[in-house]
Amino acid sequence: MFLSLYKKAAAVVPVLLIGLTACNPVQFSAPSVKTSESPTPTPTETPTTTPTVSPSPTPNLRDVTYSNTVEASNNKIDIVLVVDDSNSMLADNQKLAAKLSSFVTTLQSNKNLDWQMCLTVTRGLSSGANSVAWGASIYWQTNSASPNTTLGLVLKKGTANLSTIFAQTINYVGAGWAGSNDERAIKAAYRHVYNGDYRYSGASGCYRADAAIAYVIISDEDERSIGGDKTQQYYKDEYYALENEDQPQVFVDYVKSTFGANKRFTVNSIIVKPGDAACMKTQDAGGAKSHYGVQYAALSNLTGGGIGSICEADFGTNLNLFVDKIVDSLGSVNLECTPVGTPVVTITPTLASLSYRVQGMSIVFDTPVPAGSKIEIKYQCDANRTPSSVEQPQSEVGFFTKIMNFFKNLF
């Protein structure tokens, strides 16, 4: 698809330690429209698998013990919106802009929640000659004409006129952009982590060392449009194979390797739910083909996040659901693996009623554990499972200058 992007001049921020150049916000160009082709057979839902449960230790299992004390600062949450700005999302993004009021009202009214929020999009943005940048943060807007560098990349609790800022920013992001037929929300989130690492002075400011993270993906398609599944292809140029940075498990592993194994985070999705043919038909009536969000749903399930339907009349309902999930994530612990068998959880001092569940690679408490409590979790991992490949993003012309070193076990 013909590209018609132009970049916003990037501000290069000096970086301490290794000289990393953080990603710069980008201004957008005029839209273009997809052309339709003949459809292929009706898509089928990708089946899910459940981990094998072994009743007793075997040479293939290794014992893992998690131990940590809940700190009072665990009410902090960093929210990252990953918005699909492709042509098919135009009507949905307009609806999103109009329905954000209840979401921000809920955030503001929660006196115990210390939140901040950043925004990126699912496409690669122009960043210098022949360079494409993924995961660049977008400046929040106070009007629809230009980015507000004074307001900055990070929206924080207590900011005045939040509803207006949300609506203006979503309208500014818009939809229908040329070259946006390769939506990659997971890759964008992956690169956003790379750009936003809080250990470097050039970071975006989107991540705090002592805060949980809640990603919210909003898209009517899947990673790379059809999730790397040729049976879902509709347009002749629509198929792209999934690369390393598009994989749900790789993203989970990368967050852990970057921010530490105990970093609390969820990925939440507003998508065409896998198998929801009625929603897909409704989305297709808008003139551009939608697809089931199979990879996005898998990532949400893996991280204990929420999954909402993009066909809901009010997006605020879905986003308010994620406020609950965000709060729930404050009462959760990320594990090294999807546990084999039943984990043993001990809280000190003992709680009168301890109820929890295993969700993907997380233990989620039905009632958040209060500050000052010690959590100990003993579980087993499959020793033969080779961890997903976590690759350091390679340098991009005009965007990054050096490779960032991994720091594991930060906490």
Side-chain angles (χ1 to χ4, degrees):
M1 178 180 291
F2 177 74
L3 301 177
S4 61
L5 300 172
Y6 62 89
K7 70 182 183 67
K8 179 183 178 293
V12 179
V13 182
V15 179
L16 299 178
L17 300 180
I18 63 169
L20 170 68
T21 301
C23 81
N24 301 300
V26 181
Q27 189 147 354
F28 298 91
S29 58
S32 67
V33 181
K34 283 183 178 178
T35 58
S36 60
E37 304 291 338
S38 298
T40 55
T42 302
T44 57
E45 183 178 355
T46 301
T48 58
T49 59
T50 50
T52 302
V53 177
S54 180
S56 60
T58 71
N60 292 328
L61 299 179
R62 62 183 177 88
D63 295 326
V64 181
T65 298
Y66 166 92
S67 182
N68 193 29
T69 299
V70 180
E71 301 292 342
S73 61
N74 281 355
N75 68 329
K76 291 184 177 181
I77 187 75
D78 297 334
I79 304 170
V80 180
L81 297 181
V82 187
V83 179
D84 184 347
D85 61 340
S86 64
N87 179 63
S88 62
M89 280 290 294
L90 179 59
D92 293 294
N93 284 349
Q94 291 171 340
K95 180 166 53 178
L96 176 64
K99 300 297 183 180
L100 279 170
S101 177
S102 62
F103 177 53
V104 297
T105 298
T106 302
L107 287 175
Q108 288 287 57
S109 63
N110 191 325
K111 297 180 180 180
N112 297 320
L113 197 61
D114 178 2
W115 64 270
Q116 65 177 35
M117 186 178 301
C118 286
L119 168 71
T120 189
V121 294
T122 59
R123 66 186 173 101
L125 305 173
S126 177
S127 179
N130 301 318
S131 178
V132 176
W134 296 87
S137 282
I138 308 300
Y139 281 120
W140 294 97
Q141 305 296 115
T142 53
N143 62 71
S144 58
S146 62
N148 189 310
T149 56
T150 301
L151 188 59
L153 302 174
V154 184
L155 197 63
K156 297 183 179 181
K157 182 175 184 177
T159 303
N161 302 317
L162 274 177
S163 296
T164 300
I165 292 170
F166 266 79
Q168 294 287 7
T169 304
I170 297 299
N171 285 331
Y172 172 72
V173 168
W177 302 105
S180 60
N181 62 334
D182 184 17
E183 297 82 4
R184 304 175 79 173
I186 299 176
K187 180 180 177 70
Y190 186 106
R191 289 279 178 166
H192 196 270
V193 170
Y194 174 69
N195 303 332
D197 188 348
Y198 53 75
R199 291 166 295 187
Y200 300 98
S201 63
S204 62
C206 294
Y207 300 96
R208 296 172 291 180
D210 55 353
I213 310 171
Y215 296 92
V216 181
I217 295 172
I218 305 170
S219 178
D220 67 345
E221 299 186 52
D222 203 4
E223 187 77 355
R224 308 213 78 174
S225 290
I226 59 175
D229 182 359
K230 288 185 177 181
T231 68
Q232 307 297 308
Q233 186 170 340
Y234 186 87
Y235 300 113
K236 66 180 182 181
D237 60 345
E238 193 170 33
Y239 172 74
Y240 299 92
L242 295 186
E243 298 175 354
N244 192 63
E245 294 177 9
D246 300 304
Q247 304 287 346
Q249 184 65 60
V250 168
F251 177 74
V252 171
D253 292 346
Y254 184 61
V255 172
K256 289 176 180 291
S257 71
T258 302
F259 295 142
N262 295 331
K263 188 70 169 180
R264 297 167 294 118
F265 73 100
T266 62
V267 181
N268 309 276
S269 304
I270 298 179
I271 56 176
V272 180
K273 293 183 177 182
D276 191 347
C279 178
M280 178 179 284
K281 183 177 180 180
T282 298
Q283 289 298 115
D284 294 350
K289 188 73 181 74
S290 64
H291 295 287
Y292 297 129
V294 175
Q295 299 296 332
Y296 300 149
L299 181 54
S300 291
N301 286 327
L302 193 60
T303 60
I307 303 174
S309 172
I310 202 167
C311 291
E312 293 291 335
D314 185 352
F315 272 17
T317 301
N318 281 327
L319 290 168
N320 287 331
L321 165 67
F322 298 145
V323 172
D324 295 336
K325 282 289 183 180
I326 289 166
V327 174
D328 190 45
S329 75
L330 299 179
S332 68
V333 172
N334 287 343
L335 307 177
E336 292 183 16
C337 66
T338 299
V340 178
T342 303
V344 177
V345 180
T346 304
I347 306 294
T348 307
T350 304
L351 296 179
S353 177
L354 175 61
S355 179
Y356 63 89
R357 63 189 182 276
V358 177
Q359 185 166 343
M361 295 172 64
S362 300
I363 294 286
V364 180
F365 297 99
D366 293 335
T367 301
V369 179
S373 301
K374 181 179 179 180
I375 302 175
E376 183 178 82
I377 304 173
K378 294 184 177 181
Y379 61 102
Q380 293 182 311
C381 292
D382 184 351
N384 292 333
R385 177 188 175 273
T386 301
S388 299
S389 174
V390 180
E391 295 181 356
Q392 184 69 15
Q394 300 300 309
S395 298
E396 298 180 21
V397 178
F399 189 57
F400 297 119
T401 57
K402 289 186 178 182
I403 296 178
M404 181 181 70
N405 294 323
F406 285 120
F407 288 84
K408 293 187 177 180
N409 301 319
L410 181 63
F411 304 107

